[in-house]
Amino acid sequence: KEDMEDLRKQIQREVEETRGVAEKLGPRRLTARLSCALHRFGKLIMKRIIISRRKWGGAKLHGPPRKLVIDCLFSGTGAFLTMLALLKMNQSLQVDGRIGFDAGWYTS
């Protein structure tokens, strides 16, 4: 809890500094505010990522297992070809006109 309060105070200080800088710049105020906000947000995200990695490493945990590229290509190609087959089947059934099959529902 104390860490979160310190983080909030730090962000509040940075916001106040950003306002001061933005007011001095005049017409470029909006751009300065946006760039400062993006910089602050990026620093916060990087801090969270670093803390998260330290926690995972300290707990002797590892991320999810990675798949090989060939496995990803195989499953992606299989799904793609299945969707193409469904769409081709839909076109042939529409010619007949008696069966109301909508392959778009399955492919989306």
Side-chain angles (χ1 to χ4, degrees), residues 37-97:
L38 285 174
H39 178 71
R40 189 173 57 253
F41 182 69
K43 281 176 35 180
L44 181 66
I45 293 296
M46 287 305 297
K47 183 178 179 181
R48 291 290 177 190
I49 289 172
I50 291 169
I51 289 172
S52 175
R53 291 182 70 194
R54 286 182 187 157
K55 284 181 183 178
W56 277 76
K60 305 287 190 248
L61 296 174
H62 303 285
R66 293 190 172 99
K67 292 191 177 235
L68 296 174
V69 175
I70 192 72
D71 293 340
C72 296
L73 284 173
F74 180 76
S75 30
T77 305
F80 181 71
L81 292 177
T82 304
M83 296 306 131
L84 283 179
L86 279 172
L87 289 173
K88 182 67 175 173
M89 188 173 70
N90 184 34
Q91 288 175 350
S92 62
L93 289 176
Q94 281 181 350
V95 171
D96 187 14

